[in-house]
Amino acid sequence: MQKREHTHASLFGLSSSTVMSTSPPSENLACAFDVDVKQVVDIRSNDSSDLNASQIAISSISKDDPLVTRRELWSYYLYSNGGNGVGLGYTQTLFQGLATTAGYDPVAGPGSSCLADTASGQCVVPWGSGIKSVSSVVLTANGISFAIMTAILTTIGSAADYGTFGRWLLFAITVVCWAAQYACMALTTPNRWVLAMILYIIGFVSYSVTLVFYAALFPRLARNTPRARQLREKYENGEIPPEVYEQEESLEKNRITDIFTVHSNVGFVTTLLLNLALLLPMANNPKVDNYVLVVVNTYWVVLGIWWFIFQEPRPGPKLPKGEHYLTIGWKQIWAALKTYKHLPYTFVYLFSYFLLADGLNTTGTLVAICQNDKFSFSFLQNTYLGLSQAITSIISTLAFWYIQRYWKISTKKMFVVTNVVTILIPLWGMIGIWTEKLGFHNVWEFWAYNVLFGLFQAPYYAYSLAMMAELSPPGFDNMFFGLFGLSNRASSMVGPNVIQVIIDKTGSNWQGFPFLFAMCTAASMVIWFGVDVTKGRRDAVKWAAEQRRHIQ
């Protein structure tokens, strides 16, 4: 099964030697977040030249925000439980399967079948005035999807921080995703593969965008949990030092990301077990795959709707006079980019994660293509593989959280451990270029891949979100998680387009793995050695407070 996003399923730093500029990057940008951020510092030195190095900046919890209730937090987890990504993986399998059935073997010529015992292994479909391989078509669909995501996240991402727009935006995009998956009931014949591609793009875009705006909610939730309030009170009363407050607040963010990652995988297991109740007794029914998608989608609707009912009102500021929801996003992003020198660690992380996510997302798509070819687009086999991935994901996420909490390990160190496996996946695929004995040519390798993916990549998604939360200025959550979403999902405008050109020229899926290995390795090295989360976290709070001071 195609790897899924763990919503699961992530500051801008000012270096210690840099003095914050007093020139306002944007008056509107500052106005937008006046209600949410203030600066608290613990000064250990009277030497003003060393001020930034000796300060601890602590983000405040808005006194106006409602306390997070148990019911609200559970509804947040249940949304992740329902939106576990199973439907997206099945949609790609259905789309690729219909295209393969509709295509022909270019070696045997038009009229031949790609599924014949004597087929060469290549498969093409009509594309414009020529032909295109099915694998390349799937990658092209992903590239189109990522381009659309880029437009959405940059245009309306920041607007979600105003009023109740973000709340209704998440609801609307979720409904679009639900509608696209229900529409897959119409995909019953090979000649509808183009419609399958369109529905896949709509589903892919809407699902990925829901992940971004859903993830952007958790930093604010984490700042308003009963434990976060207690920690804040202890800090203000002098019962704990600022360093302990920072560490404990970080662990609170990790706790929430780990729990909703576990919920995502619990939902993944539950959904797959429900699917087996259809796939096994109805194996010979030609529409069983469509019925499975209905079950998967209905599960998400039943569990996901509660978040929109029980979410406490935490509206942002009103949209500035003269501004529009379709233009404010670009203005704020431009204003933030102009301050990149004040937030180096966050922008280094965003840029590096852009490449890392591109490499990993495209690797997952490429492995899924190889997997679908190996298992003849079987929903049943993909369900078994998905179960192995989901069960190991639950175990590993809980284990990683226990280890982190027990030894008080930083988010970055946990993230680095998961990065190592990220690099090894495309490296293993490279072996398949020179031999068919290894490198995603055998059934056992796809089982191993799904188990390994579950053990390390589920925590990878959880810690990537936590890293972003650590490095995001408080009160700017949707804006910076929109940029993060752009780095995460929309980054893959590059990978799929490069890989599909390689596949078209070489006729081999495996020739794409070297490019992906280089991309993942380079990005990981930059994050390991170029991102200081501690400084970035403190500087993000200072940066947010600086915007507030511009209008005081």
PDB file of all heavy atoms in Angstrom, residues 363-380:
ATOM      1  N   THR A 363       9.640   8.578  -3.112  1.00  0.00           N
ATOM      2  CA  THR A 363      10.084   7.199  -2.871  1.00  0.00           C
ATOM      3  C   THR A 363       8.888   6.323  -2.542  1.00  0.00           C
ATOM      4  O   THR A 363       8.754   5.203  -3.061  1.00  0.00           O
ATOM      5  CB  THR A 363      11.091   7.156  -1.707  1.00  0.00           C
ATOM      6  OG1 THR A 363      12.266   7.891  -2.065  1.00  0.00           O
ATOM      7  CG2 THR A 363      11.492   5.713  -1.399  1.00  0.00           C
ATOM      8  N   GLY A 364       7.992   6.819  -1.685  1.00  0.00           N
ATOM      9  CA  GLY A 364       6.796   6.054  -1.335  1.00  0.00           C
ATOM     10  C   GLY A 364       5.925   5.781  -2.541  1.00  0.00           C
ATOM     11  O   GLY A 364       5.391   4.679  -2.698  1.00  0.00           O
ATOM     12  N   THR A 365       5.771   6.797  -3.405  1.00  0.00           N
ATOM     13  CA  THR A 365       4.975   6.607  -4.619  1.00  0.00           C
ATOM     14  C   THR A 365       5.621   5.568  -5.533  1.00  0.00           C
ATOM     15  O   THR A 365       4.942   4.699  -6.101  1.00  0.00           O
ATOM     16  CB  THR A 365       4.826   7.934  -5.370  1.00  0.00           C
ATOM     17  OG1 THR A 365       4.183   8.892  -4.530  1.00  0.00           O
ATOM     18  CG2 THR A 365       4.002   7.759  -6.639  1.00  0.00           C
ATOM     19  N   LEU A 366       6.953   5.642  -5.678  1.00  0.00           N
ATOM     20  CA  LEU A 366       7.660   4.714  -6.561  1.00  0.00           C
ATOM     21  C   LEU A 366       7.597   3.289  -6.025  1.00  0.00           C
ATOM     22  O   LEU A 366       7.392   2.334  -6.789  1.00  0.00           O
ATOM     23  CB  LEU A 366       9.117   5.163  -6.714  1.00  0.00           C
ATOM     24  CG  LEU A 366       9.935   4.522  -7.828  1.00  0.00           C
ATOM     25  CD1 LEU A 366       9.240   4.664  -9.184  1.00  0.00           C
ATOM     26  CD2 LEU A 366      11.333   5.143  -7.896  1.00  0.00           C
ATOM     27  N   VAL A 367       7.760   3.138  -4.707  1.00  0.00           N
ATOM     28  CA  VAL A 367       7.648   1.802  -4.109  1.00  0.00           C
ATOM     29  C   VAL A 367       6.225   1.278  -4.272  1.00  0.00           C
ATOM     30  O   VAL A 367       6.016   0.088  -4.548  1.00  0.00           O
ATOM     31  CB  VAL A 367       8.050   1.830  -2.622  1.00  0.00           C
ATOM     32  CG1 VAL A 367       7.765   0.479  -1.963  1.00  0.00           C
ATOM     33  CG2 VAL A 367       9.531   2.166  -2.473  1.00  0.00           C
ATOM     34  N   ALA A 368       5.230   2.164  -4.109  1.00  0.00           N
ATOM     35  CA  ALA A 368       3.835   1.749  -4.282  1.00  0.00           C
ATOM     36  C   ALA A 368       3.571   1.281  -5.707  1.00  0.00           C
ATOM     37  O   ALA A 368       2.830   0.312  -5.929  1.00  0.00           O
ATOM     38  CB  ALA A 368       2.902   2.908  -3.924  1.00  0.00           C
ATOM     39  N   ILE A 369       4.172   1.951  -6.687  1.00  0.00           N
ATOM     40  CA  ILE A 369       4.022   1.521  -8.085  1.00  0.00           C
ATOM     41  C   ILE A 369       4.599   0.128  -8.276  1.00  0.00           C
ATOM     42  O   ILE A 369       3.975  -0.754  -8.890  1.00  0.00           O
ATOM     43  CB  ILE A 369       4.705   2.543  -9.021  1.00  0.00           C
ATOM     44  CG1 ILE A 369       3.911   3.849  -9.055  1.00  0.00           C
ATOM     45  CG2 ILE A 369       4.833   1.973 -10.430  1.00  0.00           C
ATOM     46  CD1 ILE A 369       4.617   4.981  -9.786  1.00  0.00           C
ATOM     47  N   CYS A 370       5.804  -0.079  -7.736  1.00  0.00           N
ATOM     48  CA  CYS A 370       6.436  -1.411  -7.833  1.00  0.00           C
ATOM     49  C   CYS A 370       5.600  -2.446  -7.093  1.00  0.00           C
ATOM     50  O   CYS A 370       5.442  -3.590  -7.557  1.00  0.00           O
ATOM     51  CB  CYS A 370       7.848  -1.364  -7.249  1.00  0.00           C
ATOM     52  SG  CYS A 370       8.999  -0.280  -8.119  1.00  0.00           S
ATOM     53  N   GLN A 371       5.063  -2.060  -5.941  1.00  0.00           N
ATOM     54  CA  GLN A 371       4.257  -2.978  -5.135  1.00  0.00           C
ATOM     55  C   GLN A 371       2.968  -3.351  -5.853  1.00  0.00           C
ATOM     56  O   GLN A 371       2.570  -4.521  -5.879  1.00  0.00           O
ATOM     57  CB  GLN A 371       3.949  -2.322  -3.790  1.00  0.00           C
ATOM     58  CG  GLN A 371       3.115  -3.171  -2.844  1.00  0.00           C
ATOM     59  CD  GLN A 371       2.973  -2.511  -1.486  1.00  0.00           C
ATOM     60  OE1 GLN A 371       3.952  -2.271  -0.799  1.00  0.00           O
ATOM     61  NE2 GLN A 371       1.744  -2.204  -1.080  1.00  0.00           N
ATOM     62  N   ASN A 372       2.308  -2.371  -6.452  1.00  0.00           N
ATOM     63  CA  ASN A 372       1.072  -2.651  -7.182  1.00  0.00           C
ATOM     64  C   ASN A 372       1.335  -3.560  -8.380  1.00  0.00           C
ATOM     65  O   ASN A 372       0.525  -4.440  -8.704  1.00  0.00           O
ATOM     66  CB  ASN A 372       0.426  -1.348  -7.640  1.00  0.00           C
ATOM     67  CG  ASN A 372      -0.271  -0.604  -6.513  1.00  0.00           C
ATOM     68  OD1 ASN A 372      -0.725  -1.230  -5.558  1.00  0.00           O
ATOM     69  ND2 ASN A 372      -0.330   0.711  -6.607  1.00  0.00           N
ATOM     70  N   ASP A 373       2.463  -3.339  -9.063  1.00  0.00           N
ATOM     71  CA  ASP A 373       2.827  -4.212 -10.172  1.00  0.00           C
ATOM     72  C   ASP A 373       3.044  -5.642  -9.683  1.00  0.00           C
ATOM     73  O   ASP A 373       2.599  -6.613 -10.317  1.00  0.00           O
ATOM     74  CB  ASP A 373       4.101  -3.707 -10.851  1.00  0.00           C
ATOM     75  CG  ASP A 373       3.840  -2.486 -11.724  1.00  0.00           C
ATOM     76  OD1 ASP A 373       2.677  -2.298 -12.126  1.00  0.00           O
ATOM     77  OD2 ASP A 373       4.793  -1.733 -11.992  1.00  0.00           O
ATOM     78  N   LYS A 374       3.730  -5.780  -8.551  1.00  0.00           N
ATOM     79  CA  LYS A 374       4.066  -7.111  -8.027  1.00  0.00           C
ATOM     80  C   LYS A 374       2.826  -7.867  -7.585  1.00  0.00           C
ATOM     81  O   LYS A 374       2.719  -9.081  -7.775  1.00  0.00           O
ATOM     82  CB  LYS A 374       5.041  -6.971  -6.846  1.00  0.00           C
ATOM     83  CG  LYS A 374       5.639  -8.291  -6.379  1.00  0.00           C
ATOM     84  CD  LYS A 374       6.563  -8.862  -7.446  1.00  0.00           C
ATOM     85  CE  LYS A 374       7.200 -10.172  -7.021  1.00  0.00           C
ATOM     86  NZ  LYS A 374       8.069 -10.715  -8.086  1.00  0.00           N
ATOM     87  N   PHE A 375       1.864  -7.158  -6.995  1.00  0.00           N
ATOM     88  CA  PHE A 375       0.675  -7.810  -6.460  1.00  0.00           C
ATOM     89  C   PHE A 375      -0.545  -7.621  -7.353  1.00  0.00           C
ATOM     90  O   PHE A 375      -1.665  -7.838  -6.919  1.00  0.00           O
ATOM     91  CB  PHE A 375       0.379  -7.283  -5.054  1.00  0.00           C
ATOM     92  CG  PHE A 375       1.396  -7.706  -4.035  1.00  0.00           C
ATOM     93  CD1 PHE A 375       2.383  -6.823  -3.604  1.00  0.00           C
ATOM     94  CD2 PHE A 375       1.390  -8.994  -3.515  1.00  0.00           C
ATOM     95  CE1 PHE A 375       3.323  -7.217  -2.661  1.00  0.00           C
ATOM     96  CE2 PHE A 375       2.331  -9.387  -2.581  1.00  0.00           C
ATOM     97  CZ  PHE A 375       3.303  -8.501  -2.149  1.00  0.00           C
ATOM     98  N   SER A 376      -0.308  -7.223  -8.607  1.00  0.00           N
ATOM     99  CA  SER A 376      -1.387  -7.096  -9.604  1.00  0.00           C
ATOM    100  C   SER A 376      -2.549  -6.256  -9.100  1.00  0.00           C
ATOM    101  O   SER A 376      -3.717  -6.609  -9.278  1.00  0.00           O
ATOM    102  CB  SER A 376      -1.883  -8.494 -10.016  1.00  0.00           C
ATOM    103  OG  SER A 376      -0.825  -9.256 -10.555  1.00  0.00           O
ATOM    104  N   PHE A 377      -2.220  -5.142  -8.399  1.00  0.00           N
ATOM    105  CA  PHE A 377      -3.212  -4.172  -7.952  1.00  0.00           C
ATOM    106  C   PHE A 377      -4.272  -4.797  -7.045  1.00  0.00           C
ATOM    107  O   PHE A 377      -5.426  -4.431  -7.069  1.00  0.00           O
ATOM    108  CB  PHE A 377      -3.881  -3.492  -9.151  1.00  0.00           C
ATOM    109  CG  PHE A 377      -2.901  -3.089 -10.204  1.00  0.00           C
ATOM    110  CD1 PHE A 377      -2.745  -3.833 -11.360  1.00  0.00           C
ATOM    111  CD2 PHE A 377      -2.090  -1.991 -10.012  1.00  0.00           C
ATOM    112  CE1 PHE A 377      -1.808  -3.476 -12.310  1.00  0.00           C
ATOM    113  CE2 PHE A 377      -1.153  -1.625 -10.962  1.00  0.00           C
ATOM    114  CZ  PHE A 377      -1.000  -2.372 -12.112  1.00  0.00           C
ATOM    115  N   SER A 378      -3.847  -5.772  -6.236  1.00  0.00           N
ATOM    116  CA  SER A 378      -4.772  -6.477  -5.356  1.00  0.00           C
ATOM    117  C   SER A 378      -5.061  -5.662  -4.100  1.00  0.00           C
ATOM    118  O   SER A 378      -4.159  -5.379  -3.310  1.00  0.00           O
ATOM    119  CB  SER A 378      -4.180  -7.834  -4.957  1.00  0.00           C
ATOM    120  OG  SER A 378      -4.930  -8.417  -3.920  1.00  0.00           O
ATOM    121  N   PHE A 379      -6.332  -5.302  -3.903  1.00  0.00           N
ATOM    122  CA  PHE A 379      -6.721  -4.628  -2.660  1.00  0.00           C
ATOM    123  C   PHE A 379      -6.469  -5.549  -1.471  1.00  0.00           C
ATOM    124  O   PHE A 379      -6.084  -5.091  -0.392  1.00  0.00           O
ATOM    125  CB  PHE A 379      -8.216  -4.262  -2.713  1.00  0.00           C
ATOM    126  CG  PHE A 379      -8.489  -2.902  -3.299  1.00  0.00           C
ATOM    127  CD1 PHE A 379      -7.742  -2.413  -4.366  1.00  0.00           C
ATOM    128  CD2 PHE A 379      -9.500  -2.107  -2.789  1.00  0.00           C
ATOM    129  CE1 PHE A 379      -7.997  -1.160  -4.909  1.00  0.00           C
ATOM    130  CE2 PHE A 379      -9.770  -0.853  -3.319  1.00  0.00           C
ATOM    131  CZ  PHE A 379      -9.024  -0.376  -4.379  1.00  0.00           C
ATOM    132  N   LEU A 380      -6.698  -6.858  -1.659  1.00  0.00           N
ATOM    133  CA  LEU A 380      -6.544  -7.801  -0.553  1.00  0.00           C
ATOM    134  C   LEU A 380      -5.091  -7.864  -0.088  1.00  0.00           C
ATOM    135  O   LEU A 380      -4.805  -7.765   1.112  1.00  0.00           O
ATOM    136  CB  LEU A 380      -7.024  -9.195  -0.983  1.00  0.00           C
ATOM    137  CG  LEU A 380      -6.971 -10.284   0.100  1.00  0.00           C
ATOM    138  CD1 LEU A 380      -7.827  -9.890   1.305  1.00  0.00           C
ATOM    139  CD2 LEU A 380      -7.446 -11.624  -0.477  1.00  0.00           C
TER     140      LEU A 380
END
